[in-house]
Each structure stands twice: as structure tokens, then as C-alpha cells.
Amino acid sequence: MHRFFVEKSHVRDNIAFITGDDAKHLEKVLRLKVGNTIEVVVGEEQEYLGEIMTLEGKSHQVKLLEPSDTLRESPLKITLYQGLPKASKMELIIQKAVELGVYRIVPVMNERSVVQLKTEKDQLKKQERWQKIAYEAAKQSKRLIIPRVTLPMEFNEAMVNLSEEGQVVAYEDEKKTGLKDVPFINKDQDQKSSLRSIGLWVGPEGGFTKEEIKSIKDKKGYSVTLGPRILRTETAGLALITMVQYECGDLGG
Ligand code: SAH
């Protein structure tokens, strides 16, 4: 079923108003008709089944029927700090990370990133494209939120404003420490993790420098191995997100 996101201010008396590009898309591309049902997510919080009441001009009215009680969002807010990879890999990473429930993505220009987006114009252009990919993936995977993709940042810039409770970096040269050795990940068998937010760092094709790893560790971060094989950068983040969701997010059951 087709899914639309609306702000709370666009809902009155249980009627959601679909406007702008979404209105055009609903009518002209999807060719939906009065009486058809769609999914409507209000205020990045609650999803409803909705019935199209009127298709008029630039604002379509959709009656909100039952609210859904499916819990779609992880209790753990994961920020993926992804070292900028080559070409279209970032698009794949964003799409898959959104499917796996990431909360936010920060594209990072590491020392060894081949791609460096120098001008503000280039950065903005990429960010817009990536945000659109996150939006499409959020719709497709039935998220309640549209994960934000920030503007690309230099490594040092990304390090300045860390807001998560803990940081974990996947490091190809880490031999000993695994995810379960990280104190804020490790929990008693029968206790639910109380961790609410985490930053996950993945390097670009060239990997991390020792100095970068040290900076993350200096901020009480932990470097972990993802196993004895070297994963491509686009595999590493997805593996790490999945493991973290399993340990302290919503995949562990
Ligand atoms: N150029 C490096 C590999 C970089 S792989 C080399 O040849 O050694 C890209 C990124 O994926 C790494 O920076 C790391 O964040 C992650 N990664 C890949 N394999 C990993 C592993 N086995 N353990 C931990 N992190 C890994």
C-alpha cells in the first residue's frame, strides 16, 4: 500500500490534507481515486489507514481510519557515521541502513576517503539526493520517521558534536575486541538494554588512520572487529547495524 508522511498541522478533525508534490504524486503518478486506501504517517509518530475522500486541486483530503499499533521504530537511535565511499555506493548504504532502522546518517570525509566534496554546492547537491533516497527507503520499509542524512562533514567536524550515549568504530585492525566486549552493549541475559542512542563508525575503502581511531577512543569510543575477513565498506555498516539492533535494538526479540 502507498505510504504518505504528513505533519500534525496538516490534520484536522481526523482528516489529513495531502499537499505539494505528494498531492501530485498521489493523483498523477499513482493514479489513486476517491475511495482508495493509503497509509498515512502523522508527525513521524503514528501510522493510520486512510481513505481518500476528495481529490481537489492541490490539497487532497484523506480520512484517517484505524491507527496502527505496529511498533516500527527501534528504541535505540543509531547514527551511522559512514566514511565517504566511491560513486554510487553511498546510495546503497543509505537505502539499506534505513531499511535496517537507522535513525540518522552522517557522511564523513575521512583522511583516506577517495571522494572529497570540496564545495558547499557539491555537498548540498549530494545531501539532497541522499535525503531523497532515505525518504524513498523510509516509505518502502514502512518507517514512521524519515531518517535524516546530514551534510557531509570532515572527520574532525563530525567528532565535535557527538550527541550519542556511546560510540563504536568498526576497525579492520582490531583483533581482540568484539561488539559484546563493549560495556554499554553488553547486558545481563535477562535484562533489556537501557542504551538509547549510539554512534557507529565505518571507514571508507581506504580504512581509518590510527589517528582517527585514537580520536574516537578518546571520546570514550570502542573499536571492534567484525570478524576475521575484510568486508567492503558497504557491507561493514550493514553488518554492524544489524548486530547492534540484535544486541540492544529491536531485532533481538
Ligand atoms: N583498506 C582496508 C579495508 C577497509 S574496509 C584494508 O585493506 O585493510 C572499509 C571499512 O569497513 C573499514 O574501515 C572498517 O570500518 C570496516 N571493516 C571492514 N572489515 C572489517 C572487519 N573485519 N572488522 C572491522 N571493521 C571492518
Side-chain angles (χ1 to χ4, degrees), residues 170-172 202-208 224-227 229-231 233 236:
Y171 186 33
E172 56 276 27
V202 175
E205 286 91 346
F208 284 107
V224 299
T225 171
L226 298 178
R229 290 164 292 278
I230 294 296
L231 309 176
T233 181

Side-chain angles (χ1 to χ4, degrees), residues 147-177:
R148 306 287 181 261
V149 183
T150 68
L151 278 168
M153 292 182 202
E154 298 284 354
F155 178 84
N156 289 332
E157 195 186 342
M159 288 300 299
V160 177
N161 294 315
L162 298 179
S163 56
E164 299 82 23
E165 289 171 16
Q167 304 295 330
V168 167
V169 51
Y171 186 33
E172 56 276 27
D173 289 343
E174 176 62 56
K175 298 289 175 259
K176 295 193 305 279
T177 310

Side-chain angles (χ1 to χ4, degrees), residues 73-109:
E73 293 301 327
S74 177
L76 180 67
K77 290 187 170 150
I78 300 173
T79 294
L80 175 65
Y81 292 90
Q82 171 68 50
L84 262 199
K86 284 187 214 150
S88 63
K89 280 187 182 175
M90 191 65 180
E91 300 187 3
L92 178 88
I93 293 167
I94 290 168
Q95 185 190 63
K96 301 304 171 205
V98 169
E99 288 171 29
L100 291 168
V102 91
Y103 176 73
R104 190 170 76 117
I105 297 165
V106 180
V108 179
M109 292 181 271

Side-chain angles (χ1 to χ4, degrees), residues 186-229:
N186 199 350
K187 52 177 185 194
D188 287 340
Q189 280 297 313
D190 32 51
Q191 249 187 349
K192 272 236 168 247
S193 168
S194 57
L195 191 69
R196 286 289 159 264
S197 60
I198 191 170
L200 303 180
W201 294 74
V202 175
E205 286 91 346
F208 284 107
T209 62
K210 285 202 170 64
E211 292 72 30
E212 286 172 334
I213 296 294
K214 183 171 181 305
S215 318
I216 300 172
K217 286 186 169 172
D218 284 349
K219 298 259 171 141
K220 299 204 183 81
Y222 289 81
S223 63
V224 299
T225 171
L226 298 178
R229 290 164 292 278

